[in-house]
Amino acid sequence: MFQYFITIVPTKLHTYKISAETHQFSVTERERVINHAAGSHGVSGIFMKYDISSLMVTVTEEHMPFWQFLVRLCGIIGGIFSTTGILHGFGRFVAEVIFCRFRLGSYRSTSVPLPDGHTSNHLPRTTDNSTH
């Protein structure tokens, strides 16, 4: 059994070169083997089912003004710069976290013994005693 489903849609087309009234159509086909011994029942034949749509499609061509094109282009370029900045900042943060973990020894605070026996975690002041 062969079945064809045909849908027809009326269409108005308006462009700068042409204005026309036409129809669009779509076709869907379905095929099924009829075998009464295997339990597949039905009438063999070719069936066409038409569906004419009650809605009309209107296609209109419109050009964008040049200033609107420039505004959209600037928006796209600005979005690219913003996204790149965000990704760069995130990548830099991740790189600093990863690389700083391997260099933990260089970032440890140093303990300086004081004359009274206590320790200070601050770096000592450097004074130039060679001139005295």
Side-chain angles (χ1 to χ4, degrees), residues 110-125:
T110 58
S111 296
V112 178
L114 296 175
D116 61 354
H118 293 90
T119 56
S120 171
N121 290 334
H122 301 287
L123 292 175
R125 287 189 217 176

Side-chain angles (χ1 to χ4, degrees), residues 2-23:
F2 296 96
Q3 291 181 325
Y4 296 96
F5 301 95
I6 302 169
T7 304
I8 301 171
V9 179
T11 305
K12 284 186 180 179
L13 180 65
H14 299 289
T15 65
Y16 289 104
K17 294 182 180 181
I18 190 171
S19 257
E21 290 190 18
T22 184
H23 295 86

Side-chain angles (χ1 to χ4, degrees), residues 21-83:
E21 290 190 18
T22 184
H23 295 86
Q24 297 181 48
F25 67 94
S26 65
V27 178
T28 305
E29 65 179 274
R30 186 174 156 207
E31 178 182 337
R32 190 176 78 163
V33 177
I34 304 292
N35 187 353
H36 295 289
S40 174
H41 301 289
V43 179
S44 59
I46 299 174
F47 300 97
M48 294 186 192
K49 298 180 181 179
Y50 292 96
D51 181 24
I52 299 175
S53 177
S54 61
L55 300 175
M56 178 179 282
V57 175
T58 303
V59 179
T60 305
E61 179 183 16
E62 294 180 2
H63 288 284
M64 183 186 322
F66 187 69
W67 65 269
Q68 192 175 12
F69 169 75
L70 288 178
V71 168
R72 288 184 179 188
L73 183 65
C74 290
I76 290 170
I77 292 171
I80 289 171
F81 275 108
S82 297
T83 305

Side-chain angles (χ1 to χ4, degrees), residues 125-132:
R125 287 189 217 176
T126 57
T127 56
D128 189 13
N129 293 332
S130 62
T131 58
H132 292 77

